[in-house]
Every structure is written in structure tokens, then in C-alpha cells.
Amino acid sequence: MLEAAGAALAAIHFGVPLAYYLYLRRAWLRRPWGLRRDPGYTPRVVVVVPTYNEADLIERKLDDIYRQDYPREKLEVVVVDSASTDGTPEKARRWASKHPDLKVRLVEEPARRGKAHALNTALKHIPPDAEVVILTDADSFWPQRDTVRRAVAYLADPTVGAVSCLKKPAGQGPGGVEEAYRSLYNQVRLAESKAHSTPIFHGELAAYRKSLLEEIGGFPEDLGADDSHTATLIALKGRRAITPEDVWCTELVPRKGYTRWRIRRAQHLTQHFQKILKTSHKTPSQLKRILAVEAYLHLANPWLLPAAAALLALAAAHKSPSAIILLALAAALLAYKPYRTWITTQLYLTAAMIRNLHTKE
Ligand code: GDD
Ligand code: MN
């Protein structure tokens, strides 16, 4: 009995995401976009870099933006710093004075009130004729010289409201876990984007139509996933929020504090989905399905794993041969990287939900 219940929970835990992935692959992954993408579209773009103690990276980050092949008179950078104590603003100012051909504006907040707050401050300093706002974290890089052009090309289609990137990991977490996770994960982002929108955006590059940012009232300051949440609010307004296959970005994966970093990320995502569940809207049905499955996968499905393990362990303790076999199989599969990656991600999500109960950080 115990072993049957445990096996059923495990079957749901692995079966639902697998079925979703197979459905996305078969129905959407290879479909054409059906969008009027225009590579020659060059609206006025403002790139916003939020910084808190990024002195080690800010010059490299500005160099990276500087390398972009985009009309100089249509590109502007806003660095918004929140009282860094390591000299970040001074470094940004010095960099700007050495590169007078790129317009760089430095906005300084007197105190640190979080990334989203800083982004809202930056919005107030964006010229009225800017059409597109691109957010990018200081610890992220754009491997293509035409990243901005590629992202913006999709915004030429009026049905698209927001564009993010697919992630190429740079630097490695323990055992290459991060890398394995990203490729399956990228396929899901891409297929969801083709179906309508993906509810997960990336801080490495998030491009928004400025008018839509104003319409939704700027960035949410009450939760961590400003990028994903903003994109989803735009999707809920009926404009698409997409991660195309030709826009890539990289992020420096921290070598130290990897587990804490993953849990903090997972906290942001679970906060985002919890809030989306509470927001009722007239949602296009394709989007509704994506949001429902992703909310289930992030908030409920992870718990089935420890529940199944506990039931099977209990049954094994009562010498159930089938429970012992299942547990041995589950343990043996840990040698297989994608499976191991999945299991650790589930554990991060459950840890994140527990941690969200006492700190939202
Ligand atoms: N101005 C300002 N003020 N900037 C800040 C603050 C702040 O209080 N806190 C963080 N930042 C800046 C950092 O300097 C960096 O450039 C960027 O915001 C992201 O901070 P990280 O510390 O690198 O965040 P993360 O890597 O854990 O999370 C990022 O990715 C997530 C998922 O893609 C962030 O972009 C999250 O918002 C995002 O959900
Ligand atoms: Mn980061």
C-alpha cells in the first residue's frame, strides 16, 4: 500500500513535467514564429544597468555594451547605483569620460532599496523619446555583437511586448549542474515563447517596450523576480513576452555560495508564481495553460518528490521488496546528470518555499 502510494506520487512528479516537455517539443518547438520580425528596426534604446557593489565588473560590463553594433545616436546607457561602498559609481563615471561617443548617464540613489526600486528610479531618467528599455545585470554579458539588434527586431512586431535571452552558462557550478539544466530549460522557454509567452525572463537581458512598462506601473518592488514578473504582467495584457532562439546571454555563475544563490533564485521564482496565481485576468487560453503548468511545476510538483521518497522509505523499512528496488533505482539514476540536475532543482525549490516563509530577500 505504502509503496503503491509512493510510486504513484513519483510517477506524477516525473510524468507531468515530462509530458509537458514532450507536448511543447511536438506542438511548438519547431513552429515558425509567425511574427513580423524586422532586423532593420532601430528604435531609440536605453540600456539600464543596476549596480550594487559591482566595482570589479562595471567596466567590463560597459565595455561589453560598447561593443554592440547599434547606431550610437540611438543607444544610451543608464547606470543606476544604490549607494555602493566599493567605488562603483566612480568607476562608471571614469569609464564614461573615456568613451564620450556613447551616452552614459549615472543615476545615484542615496540608499539601497533593492534592484526593482533602482529600476523604477532609472525609469524616471529615461528620455521621453526612448521606445525600448533593456535591463541587464552587471554580472552578465552578451556574446553576440548584434544582441541588441536581434532582440529589438522582434519588437518591430506590435504583438510582442517583451524579449529576453536564452542562457549560455559561463563559469561552472559544481559538476556542471548549471549547464545541463540550461539546455532542456532553454527548449522549454523557446517553445512556450512560440506558443504565446514564457513566464520566465532573465536579468541578463530583458527588453521591454517602454509604453508597456508605464502601463503596468513600473517594476514590482515587493518580490525578487522583477524580470519574470514584469514580463508576465505584459503577457497578461495580451502582448507576447518571448525568448527567441537567436538572442543569447551569459551570466557569471558564482563559484562560492552556489547553493545559497540557487535557493535565492528559486525564492524569487516561487514568489513570482504565487503572485501570478493571485492575479486574475482575462488571459488568452494558450497563455493560461502555460501559467497553470509552470505554477504547478514550481509550487506543487517539487513537494511530491520528498513525499514519494518518504513513503517508499517507510515501505522499505517494512521490508517491501518493490520499495527497496524503486529506491535503489532512484539512487542509481543519480549517476545520470540530467536526472541529478532535476533532483537538485526540486530540492532548491522546496528549500526556497520554506525560506520564503521567514525571509523574502
Ligand atoms: N541599483 C541597485 N540596487 N542594483 C542592485 C541592487 C540594489 O539594491 N541589488 C542588486 N543590484 C544589481 C546587481 O549589482 C546586479 O547588477 C543585478 O542587480 C542583479 O543582482 P544579482 O545579485 O546578480 O542577482 P541574481 O543574479 O541573484 O539575480 C538576477 O537574476 C534573476 C533571474 O534571472 C536578478 O536580475 C534577479 O532580479 C533575477 O530575477
Ligand atoms: Mn547575478
Side-chain angles (χ1 to χ4, degrees):
M1 197 53 222
L2 281 177
E3 57 269 57
L9 289 183
I12 299 169
H13 174 84
F14 292 104
V16 174
L18 188 65
Y20 183 56
Y21 170 69
L22 292 175
Y23 156 74
L24 286 175
R25 249 183 78 145
R26 193 176 43 81
W28 296 102
L29 193 60
R30 270 169 262 285
R31 281 232 199 151
W33 283 96
L35 290 173
R36 273 189 288 114
R37 183 181 160 276
D38 177 4
Y41 177 58
T42 50
R44 188 168 287 276
V45 171
V46 176
V47 176
V48 177
V49 186
T51 58
Y52 179 71
N53 287 350
E54 300 287 6
D56 289 346
L57 289 170
I58 187 63
E59 289 152 313
R60 181 172 162 198
K61 177 67 193 173
L62 291 169
D63 285 339
D64 195 61
I65 298 170
Y66 188 77
R67 269 195 296 276
Q68 282 297 305
D69 164 28
Y70 199 79
R72 275 288 138 86
E73 69 285 3
K74 293 200 170 162
L75 190 66
E76 175 173 340
V77 178
V78 173
V79 175
V80 55
D81 187 81
S82 307
S84 286
T85 53
D86 66 349
T88 305
E90 292 71 23
K91 283 203 166 166
R93 209 174 282 123
R94 198 168 338 124
W95 188 96
S97 68
K98 285 194 216 142
H99 300 80
D101 55 329
L102 180 66
K103 190 159 170 44
V104 179
R105 208 185 285 249
L106 176 65
V107 175
E108 291 182 78
E109 290 196 304
R112 183 179 189 195
R113 296 178 62 188
K115 179 185 164 191
H117 188 274
L119 296 177
N120 285 327
T121 301
L123 278 187
K124 296 181 193 139
H125 293 265
I126 286 174
D129 60 340
E131 289 168 66
V132 175
V133 177
I134 301 184
L135 307 183
T136 180
D137 293 344
D139 59 350
S140 71
F141 301 95
W142 297 338
Q144 303 151 314
R145 285 199 60 215
D146 55 352
T147 301
V148 171
R149 261 180 203 281
R150 288 176 189 229
V152 159
Y154 289 88
L155 290 168
D157 189 307
T159 64
V160 177
V163 178
S164 189
C165 54
L166 297 180
K167 288 178 77 153
K168 267 195 184 136
Q172 272 301 298
V177 168
E178 187 69 10
E179 187 163 26
Y181 170 62
R182 290 293 168 199
S183 59
L184 263 184
Y185 173 96
N186 279 340
Q187 290 182 47
V188 173
R189 297 285 80 74
L190 183 54
E192 288 176 336
S193 299
K194 288 192 174 180
H196 187 286
S197 294
T198 182
I200 298 181
F201 257 41
H202 299 129
E204 292 71 38
L205 184 153
Y208 304 100
R209 209 180 281 287
K210 198 185 76 183
S211 56
L212 289 173
L213 283 181
E214 288 161 352
E215 228 178 278
I216 62 170
F219 298 95
E221 292 181 14
D222 57 337
L223 81 181
D226 57 88
D227 34 24
S228 296
H229 203 68
T230 305
T232 305
L233 293 178
I234 286 175
L236 287 169
K237 287 214 161 271
R239 304 291 196 100
R240 292 173 65 182
I242 63 173
T243 54
E245 65 267 74
D246 61 341
V247 182
W248 288 88
C249 51
T250 50
E251 175 183 32
L252 297 177
V253 173
R255 274 163 229 273
K256 274 194 297 182
Y258 179 81
T259 301
R260 280 211 57 169
W261 175 70
R262 282 294 303 267
I263 292 175
R264 191 157 60 89
R265 281 295 181 80
Q267 278 186 271
H268 294 170
L269 270 184
T270 52
Q271 289 164 22
H272 159 53
F273 283 110
Q274 274 161 3
K275 195 154 175 212
I276 287 299
L277 282 185
K278 288 188 205 132
T279 329
S280 61
H281 282 272
K282 279 201 293 171
T283 313
S285 65
Q286 198 57 55
L287 177 63
K288 195 177 273 175
R289 205 160 354 185
I290 292 169
L291 294 179
V293 177
E294 288 290 3
Y296 166 79
L297 290 178
H298 284 85
L299 301 175
N301 200 51
W303 296 103
L304 301 186
L305 189 67
L311 288 174
L312 289 174
L314 212 58
H318 288 92
K319 307 217 161 42
S320 152
S322 53
I324 292 167
I325 291 170
L326 276 176
L327 282 174
L329 186 69
L333 274 172
L334 285 171
Y336 177 55
K337 198 162 99 175
Y339 172 83
R340 194 166 62 236
T341 304
W342 175 263
I343 301 293
T344 51
T345 303
Q346 303 310 300
L347 297 179
Y348 289 133
L349 284 167
T350 51
M353 283 182 265
I354 294 169
R355 202 153 186 274
N356 271 340
L357 296 175
H358 52 271
T359 165
K360 291 274 177 194
E361 188 208 0

